[in-house]
Amino acid sequence: MFQNRYLFIFSFFTGILFSQPKISIGMDMGYYKPVIPSSNENQIPLASGFSKDFLPGFSLYYQFFPGARVDFAHSFSYQSDKTKSGTPFSRILSYRMFQIETYYFSKKRLEWNFSLAPTWNKGSIHLDAKGNFTEWDIFLTGFNDTQGSISVISSDKMTTYWFGFASFIGLRYYIRSWCAIDIKTGFMNNYYDNKNWKFQGQKVVGPGMTISGEPIITVRVIFGW
């Protein structure tokens, strides 16, 4: 009887240690190829490399059913530079995905997964005008904005939001029961409109970016418990 009890306790804790984690977090790195143009007409210099193509971020997972998870993933593209007239600025594109994911094991440590995700995204451009009231006018006019002069008393930022949709197929390898490498590839569709930016409560025109139907690859290091 005592042996059976100890065997049950041992099996219970072994199952906890080596079962699929219910909750996990990930450190992410994504790669995509958006078209963020620069021209003589606008003030934003051409972004390249890490400031354009790479998407660092994080993800949170919860297994709510055997073979199914929900997760939230947040990745962003960041550019910090100076405008062509020498004014410091920063540009952030934030991609926020609310995924539902199904998976199955083809081998003991090897998992295939499939994800669908609506997205709610944000773009922001901060321009440190330092009291130069005409700098924002020059900046906005570069995007063919015809709203006219907007008085600026300090540094400020313009923002925009848009919906999107993403789908992925992925492969996850469990190094340990609590640690895995996850590689996904898929598409991210963004319904971005450069005419929906806002600055100080007014609608303005922003940069024309081609970010619809973007193929994307993500690599994640997953830790679970």
Side-chain angles (χ1 to χ4, degrees):
M1 180 177 179
F2 286 104
Q3 289 181 343
N4 291 337
R5 181 180 300 175
Y6 291 140
L7 180 61
F8 171 78
I9 294 173
F10 176 77
S11 301
F12 176 77
F13 283 104
T14 301
I16 291 176
L17 290 174
F18 294 99
S19 63
Q20 176 79 2
K22 290 289 185 183
I23 301 174
S24 54
I25 60 174
M27 296 183 296
D28 309 351
M29 178 59 71
Y31 180 82
Y32 74 150
K33 292 289 290 184
V35 178
I36 305 178
S38 176
S39 67
N40 294 329
E41 286 75 29
N42 71 57
Q43 287 281 300
I44 296 182
L46 186 66
S48 62
F50 193 88
S51 64
K52 181 174 76 74
D53 300 330
F54 289 90
L55 295 169
F58 68 91
S59 52
L60 303 171
Y61 294 87
Y62 177 71
Q63 180 187 326
F64 68 94
F65 191 78
R69 294 185 288 253
V70 290
D71 72 89
F72 170 76
H74 185 191
S75 57
F76 60 90
S77 170
Y78 179 75
Q79 180 184 6
S80 179
D81 208 331
K82 291 186 177 181
T83 65
K84 293 177 181 178
S85 59
T87 301
F89 85 96
S90 61
R91 184 266 301 152
I92 301 177
L93 303 178
S94 296
Y95 299 97
R96 293 169 286 192
M97 302 183 185
F98 304 88
Q99 301 186 67
I100 182 166
E101 184 172 276
T102 59
Y103 65 88
Y104 75 94
F105 284 88
S106 59
K107 294 183 178 180
K108 183 177 180 181
R109 294 178 179 267
L110 198 61
E111 170 197 302
W112 289 93
N113 50 65
F114 308 90
S115 306
L116 294 174
T119 66
W120 175 239
N121 310 307
K122 178 183 178 181
S124 65
I125 296 176
H126 178 271
L127 186 65
D128 192 356
K130 294 183 178 179
N132 185 347
F133 299 159
T134 62
E135 187 66 19
W136 271 105
D137 293 331
I138 298 172
F139 188 80
L140 294 172
T141 302
F143 304 128
N144 297 319
D145 194 314
T146 58
Q147 296 293 323
S149 177
I150 299 176
S151 156
V152 182
I153 59 175
S154 64
S155 62
D156 211 330
K157 66 180 179 180
M158 53 191 287
T159 58
T160 187
Y161 295 89
W162 69 92
F163 287 104
F165 180 82
S167 60
F168 297 94
I169 180 172
L171 188 64
R172 182 179 295 192
Y173 178 77
Y174 287 87
I175 303 170
R176 294 288 187 272
S177 61
W178 50 269
C179 180
I181 302 294
D182 187 283
I183 301 175
K184 285 181 169 59
T185 182
F187 283 87
M188 182 169 57
N189 294 286
N190 292 287
Y191 303 104
Y192 168 78
D193 186 349
N194 71 319
K195 297 180 180 179
N196 284 336
W197 287 78
K198 286 192 175 181
F199 177 69
Q200 294 190 345
Q202 299 186 41
K203 185 174 286 190
V204 296
V205 177
M209 300 182 293
T210 304
I211 53 176
S212 177
E214 285 298 312
I216 181 173
I217 297 174
T218 64
V219 179
R220 294 171 175 169
V221 180
I222 307 293
F223 300 95
W225 64 91

